Amino acid sequence: MYDHILFPTDGSEPADSALDYALQIAAEHEATVHVLNVVDTSQVSRSGMQGDVSAALEQEGTEIVNETAQRARERGISVVSEVIHGDPYEAIVEYSTQSAVELIVMPTHGRRGLQRFLLGSVTERVINTADIPVIAVNPGTQPHTYPCQDLLVPTDGSRGSELALSEGVALANATDATLHILHVVETGSLGPDARSLVKDEELTTRADEIIADAIETAAAATVDTVESEIEFGIPSKEIRSYIDTHEIDFAILGTHGTTDFSRYMMGGVSSKIVRTSPVPVMWVREPDPSGG
C-alpha cells in the first residue's frame, strides 16, 4: 500500500518516539523509509554567523539522519537519508513531491518545546499543504502498534471526509482492521428542548444518509468488518469518547484544502482531536482548488 514513507526528524525526543511507529509501518508494507533533516535557513539567517552556523547545523543533521537510518537498517528496512536546507515545512513538502513518497509520518511537536503542540508547528503546516496523507503521532501517549486493529473514520459528508474514508477503506483491507464509521450530529450548542427536536428532524435524516453512503462505500470495497454509529453532542468530545470506548488504535480525518488551520472538517474538530489524541491520526487533505 505504501512503498515510500517520509520521516522528517530533528533528532528530538518527540521525533524519536514517532520513529518506531514509522518503522513498523515500513516493515508491514515492505516500504523504503526516507529519513530527512532540514537545516532551517531562517535560523541560520538570524544567527548573524551564516557560514559557521550552517556548517554546524548540517553536521548535526547528518549525524541525526545517520543514526536514524542505522536504526531502520537494523530492522531490515531499506533507507534513503538526506540533509537539505530551507524552511522546514516547505522543504518537507517539496521533498515528498520530488521523491514520490506516499506517506509522511511526523510527531505532533518537535524540539522547539514539548509544550508546543501541533497548532502553529511544522507538522501543522505540512498537514495543510502536503498532497499525500500525513500521520501525526503524539509523543505524550503510550507506545503504539501497527498494523492497527480498530480504525476510526469520523465523517460529516464533506469531500475531505470522503477522501479520509477512501483511505480508511484501503487501509482496513490492507491490514484486516475493523473499520469504524462515526457521524456526530452537533447539538452541543443547543438547549435540551432543541436537541430533542433535532433528533427527530432533518439533521437525523441527514446523519442517516451520511452513514448509509459511507457503509455503501465500504461494502463496495468488500471491507470485512464495518461498525457504524451516530452520536449527538460536541463532535470533538464524541470522537474522543468513541476512541476510548471502542479501543480505537488509529484514526483518519479529512481536512479542507486551506492554510487556515482553524478551518477543518466539522468546524475545527480535527485540530482539537489531534492535540490530545491517544492514538496516531492520519490526515488526508482535500486539495485546494486554486492549486495551493
Side-chain angles (χ1 to χ4, degrees):
M1 183 174 178
Y2 305 113
D3 294 323
H4 293 270
I5 298 170
L6 174 57
F7 181 73
T9 178
D10 60 4
S12 63
E13 289 185 15
D16 191 62
S17 66
L19 173 61
D20 185 65
Y21 196 71
L23 295 182
Q24 289 182 54
I25 298 172
E28 175 68 19
H29 298 286
E30 299 181 351
T32 295
V33 172
H34 295 244
V35 179
L36 178 69
N37 177 267
V38 181
V39 176
D40 189 344
T41 52
S42 64
Q43 181 179 348
V44 173
S45 297
R46 289 193 301 268
S47 70
M49 301 175 62
Q50 296 188 17
D52 293 341
V53 172
S54 180
L57 290 176
E58 184 163 349
Q59 176 61 34
E60 180 186 26
T62 300
E63 294 173 358
I64 290 170
V65 297
N66 286 345
E67 180 180 344
T68 304
Q70 180 60 31
R71 289 177 57 183
R73 294 190 183 100
E74 289 172 355
R75 297 174 64 163
I77 296 170
S78 175
V79 185
V80 174
S81 60
E82 190 165 349
V83 177
I84 59 179
H85 293 243
D87 180 285
Y89 93 87
E90 290 180 344
I92 290 168
V93 173
E94 183 177 357
Y95 182 93
S96 72
T97 301
Q98 294 179 345
S99 303
V101 300
E102 299 112 340
L103 178 69
I104 302 173
V105 181
M106 302 179 68
T108 55
H109 52 281
R111 70 165 46 169
R112 291 187 179 181
L114 297 183
Q115 302 304 315
R116 186 180 181 189
F117 283 83
L118 186 66
L119 190 61
S121 72
V122 171
T123 303
E124 170 224 333
R125 294 178 181 271
V126 171
I127 288 171
N128 273 327
T129 53
D131 289 331
I132 59 175
V134 180
I135 295 178
V137 182
N138 189 338
T141 56
Q142 62 184 4
H144 308 290
T145 301
Y146 187 93
C148 55
Q149 301 297 314
D150 288 271
L151 162 64
L152 172 63
V153 179
T155 178
D156 62 355
S158 67
R159 176 57 180 159
S161 63
E162 288 175 358
L163 294 172
L165 179 61
S166 178
E167 193 74 22
V169 164
L171 189 56
N173 278 333
T175 62
D176 295 323
T178 296
L179 176 63
H180 296 253
I181 303 170
L182 173 68
H183 176 72
V184 180
V185 178
E186 186 166 7
T187 59
S189 61
L190 304 177
D193 293 338
R195 207 171 299 151
S196 63
L197 289 174
V198 163
K199 291 186 181 182
D200 295 328
E201 296 179 357
E202 67 273 7
L203 288 184
T204 299
T205 300
R206 176 59 179 151
D208 290 337
E209 293 173 350
I210 290 171
I211 286 293
D213 288 346
I215 293 173
E216 183 179 348
T217 298
T222 63
V223 176
D224 286 340
T225 309
V226 180
E227 297 186 10
S228 63
E229 193 165 319
I230 297 173
E231 293 290 352
F232 293 79
I234 300 172
S236 59
K237 291 184 178 180
E238 295 300 330
I239 292 171
R240 176 61 190 270
S241 176
Y242 192 96
I243 288 173
D244 294 338
T245 302
H246 294 80
E247 298 184 345
I248 299 298
D249 51 2
F250 193 84
I252 304 180
L253 288 89
T255 72
H256 296 306
T258 174
T259 54
D260 179 359
F261 193 59
S262 66
R263 296 179 57 207
Y264 277 110
M265 79 170 218
M266 295 183 288
V269 171
S270 300
S271 61
K272 297 176 183 177
I273 288 293
V274 75
R275 297 181 213 174
T276 58
S277 175
V279 301
V281 178
M282 174 187 285
W283 304 70
V284 183
R285 187 174 77 96
E286 178 188 10
D288 190 330
S290 66

